[in-house]
């Protein structure tokens, strides 16, 4: 894992000291809220419905056990004993008091963490494939590049006041587990015919009120050119991106209104200039960072398949958990384990202090003290020996973290919605909980198979509903919450934006509606067809008929 | 009828302007504007209070009186006076219902079933 150097550590501590002074001045009345708000947002501190909320960056979703223990301790000392893992691989604390936040940030700095640039119109925390470094078929671990971008973009003086927030995601495989095409810039690491490593550069993706899939503007960008090229893109955006209307200020709108061809021309022109005046990414600097992400010393394991199969037979729940929680590891004898933060009827992405400590301890014992956060609001243990799986499952079960539902109907993405969020127009968590309870029968979920249900409590789409098989958007109509359903969305390599299928539903009706859609799929599916493939074969009509048919 | 609400600067808690020009965390302490003139007066106080170091983001909220108690009419504001509907153990409702336990480290999984809380929201149809 990346470790702070002296510069990083000093920079973060200085920032905490500055914020401590700013908070003191605000509490004494020396700063008005108008003056203070941009300062607190730069440090990740929002004021939500019931309290302040602190969003802590988890760079590219990678955490050490030590950091996870610290997050758990912080949740008890400064919050209410839990944290919420988000679709941006971050963690949010929902109840910190303003006066305590500087102390909280100092404790985060003790474990090389901070909340800088988790808010505001700047380059946000860079996200990456949560299977980085262990995924099969990976050209290269995306995290060194993400870390390089993090260092370059942290407090970048030119990009502190962009027209809007700016999000970058990096992946290193054909498969896209990081919703790369829904980011302002998405990078995919590729290798060209000459064997050189470089990047596909996708620009202008985003969800929100105007969802768009990004466009490829460079099929191969050589590694040394990366930062100059990113600088060129963001400079063009910074200069000509709209600032008159916040809803039209993202780079996706610039691309849409100005056209891909023209934006690309401007970027390439700027890039040519920048190349002449700025250094390229030196191989030495890249290697310095990459050294922190090298493969661990994998062990030859004495995995006994017969004994393992026997355990599977003896413990059907273990078998079910294996079927949904395991992903193929590129090292023989190892597995990637996804830890579901979606207990049946629970709050998606929430983890208690006890659970955070528990996962940290499991990682110490079974995953080389490393944990990942996925954008689907689950945790990942990336280095689990197959021979340890049974013991790990037992440990997770005690923590109520072994629900065998990863990728299934109750593995729902949900934003905090109106239960916490000041921007929300409706609640999303109770809808997720009710759907989860409706599909509480895990055998049924396994029979239904892969299904992505995603819920947002407002048009800003933090719950990714546009790119769901079944997307739910919570709105308000005449003083009452109501919910729109979209279908046909997809978040992977073939990212697609779903479309609204018809009139909306009340909070109660929408649960029945989701079940009707699932039942319709089960009735119509052909052998081995997933929900998504049945939908793409048949289109929306049979689903619409089932939902809206008049009795 | 309207009351003036804001979030308290020091901890973000939801507060209401009282008849004594003070701020209370309890909605029933709120000073009620029963006509436009009164509402404008509250709004003026809010504009001034926004410049203070006590509260943030003052605005007026529609209320009704039910059995002698002040209740917000919009579901967003009802939630602000209670807490998250999915965590009955947190927010104002926790103190009202006496379950307390702030900073208790209680697992969210052990939280009160949100349906129980939601019964209070029955009129907003979920």
């Amino acid at each position: 894992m990346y470790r702070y150097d002296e510069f990083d550590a000093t920079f973060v501590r200085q920032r905490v000291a500055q914020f401590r002074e700013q908070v003191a001045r605000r509490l004494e009345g020396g700063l008005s809220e108008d003056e203070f708000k941009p300062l607190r947002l730069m440090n990740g501190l929002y004021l939500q419905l019931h309290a302040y909320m602190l969003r802590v960056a988890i760079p590219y979703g990678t955490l050490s056990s030590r950091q996870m223990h610290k997050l758990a301790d912080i949740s008890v000392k400064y919050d209410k004993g839990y944290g919420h893992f988000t679709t941006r691989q971050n963690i949010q604390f929902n109840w910190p008091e303003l006066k305590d936040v500087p102390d909280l940030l100092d404790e985060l700095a003790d474990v090389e963490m901070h909340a800088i640039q988790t808010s505001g119109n700047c380059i946000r925390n860079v996200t990456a494939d949560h299977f980085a470094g262990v995924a099969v078929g990976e050209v290269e671990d995306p995290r060194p590049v993400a870390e390089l971008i993090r260092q370059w973009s942290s407090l970048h003086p030119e990009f502190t006041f962009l027209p809007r927030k700016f999000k970058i995601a990096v992946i290193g495989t054909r498969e896209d587990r990081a919703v790369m095409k829904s980011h302002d810039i998405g990078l995919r690491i590729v290798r060209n015919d000459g064997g050189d490593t470089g990047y596909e550069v996708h620009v202008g993706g985003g969800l929100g009120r105007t969802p768009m899939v990004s466009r490829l503007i460079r099929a191969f960008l050589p590694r040394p050119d990366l930062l100059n090229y990113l600088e060129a893109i963001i400079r063009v955006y910074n200069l000509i991106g709209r600032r008159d209307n916040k809803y039209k200020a993202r780079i996706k709108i610039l691309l849409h209104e100005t056209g891909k061809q023209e934006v690309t021309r401007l970027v390439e022109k700027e890039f040519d200039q920048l190349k002449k005046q700025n250094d390229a990414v030196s191989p030495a600097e890249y290697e310095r960072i990459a050294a922190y992400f090298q493969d661990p010393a994998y062990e030859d394991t004495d995995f006994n398949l017969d004994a393992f199969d026997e355990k599977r037979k003896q413990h059907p729940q273990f078998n079910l958990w294996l079927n949904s929680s395991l992903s193929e590891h590129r090292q023989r004898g190892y597995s990637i384990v996804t830890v579901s933060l979606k207990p049946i009827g629970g709050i998606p992405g929430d983890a208690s202090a006890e659970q955070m400590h528990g996962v940290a301890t499991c990682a110490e014992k079974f995953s080389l003290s490393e944990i990942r956060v996925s954008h689907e609001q689950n945790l990942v243990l990336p280095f689990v020996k197959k021979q340890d799986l049974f013991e790990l499952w037992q440990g997770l079960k005690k923590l109520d973290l072994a629900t065998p539902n990863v990728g299934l109907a109750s593995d729902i993405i949900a934003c905090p919605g109106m239960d916490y969020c000041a921007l929300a127009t409706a609640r999303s968590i109770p809808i997720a909980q009710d759907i989860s309870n409706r599909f509480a029968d895990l055998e049924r979920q396994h029979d239904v198979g892969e299904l992505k249900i995603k819920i947002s409590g407002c048009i800003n789409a933090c719950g990714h509903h546009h790119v769901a098989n079944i997307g739910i958007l919570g709105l308000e109509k005449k003083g009452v919450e109501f919910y729109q359903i979209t279908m046909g969305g997809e978040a992977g390599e073939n990212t697609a934006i779903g479309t609204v299928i018809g009139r909306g539903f009340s909070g109660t009706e929408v649960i029945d509606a989701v079940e009707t859609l699932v039942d319709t799929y089960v009735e119509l599916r052909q052998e081995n067809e997933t929900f998504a493939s049945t939908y793409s074969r048949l289109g929306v009509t049979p689903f619409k008929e089932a939902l809206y048919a008049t009795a | 009828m309207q009351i003036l609400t804001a979030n308290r600067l020091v901890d973000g808690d939801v507060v209401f302007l009282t008849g004594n020009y003070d701020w209370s965390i309890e909605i029933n302490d709120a000073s009620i504007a029963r006509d436009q003139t009164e509402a404008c007066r509250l709004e003026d106080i809010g504009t001034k209070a926004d410049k203070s170091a006590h509260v943030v983001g003052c605005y007026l909220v529609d209320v009704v009186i039910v059995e002698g108690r002040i209740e917000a009419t919009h579901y967003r504001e009802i939630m602000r006076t209670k807490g998250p509907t999915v965590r009955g153990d947190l927010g104002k409702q926790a103190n009202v219902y006496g379950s307390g336990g702030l900073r208790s480290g209680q697992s969210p999984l052990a939280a009160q079933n949100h349906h129980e809380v939601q019964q209070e929201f029955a009129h907003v149809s979920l």
Side-chain angles (χ1 to χ4, degrees), chain A residues 29-97:
Chain A
L31 288 175
S32 71
E33 186 61 16
D34 285 347
E35 289 162 332
F36 180 65
K37 189 177 171 184
L39 299 172
R40 71 166 157 77
L41 288 178
M42 279 178 203
N43 291 285
L45 189 64
Y46 288 75
L47 182 53
Q48 294 286 35
L49 217 53
H50 315 287
Y52 288 95
M53 179 273 281
L54 184 73
R55 182 181 293 151
V56 177
I58 300 176
Y60 31 88
T62 297
L63 273 174
S64 67
S65 286
R66 181 166 164 255
Q67 290 171 321
M68 186 65 109
H69 281 304
K70 177 57 93 175
L71 293 174
D73 288 339
I74 282 174
S75 81
V76 173
K77 190 164 170 189
Y78 299 102
D79 206 87
K80 298 195 176 184
Y82 70 108
H84 177 74
F85 290 96
T86 76
T87 51
R88 299 216 67 256
Q89 299 180 309
N90 291 322
I91 185 169
Q92 296 180 173
F93 294 113
N94 287 311
W95 305 91
E97 297 188 7

Side-chain angles (χ1 to χ4, degrees), chain A residues 197-212:
Chain A
T197 307
Y199 312 95
E200 273 179 8
V201 183
H202 302 256
V203 176
L207 300 173
R209 71 182 58 210
T210 320
M212 286 182 189

Side-chain angles (χ1 to χ4, degrees), chain A residues 318-335:
Chain A
F318 175 54
N319 188 44
L320 215 55
W321 177 78
L322 288 172
N323 289 343
S324 57
S325 312
L326 249 55
S327 302
E328 196 186 343
H329 200 288
R330 66 167 175 243
Q331 179 68 27
R332 203 166 155 254
Y334 284 77
S335 283

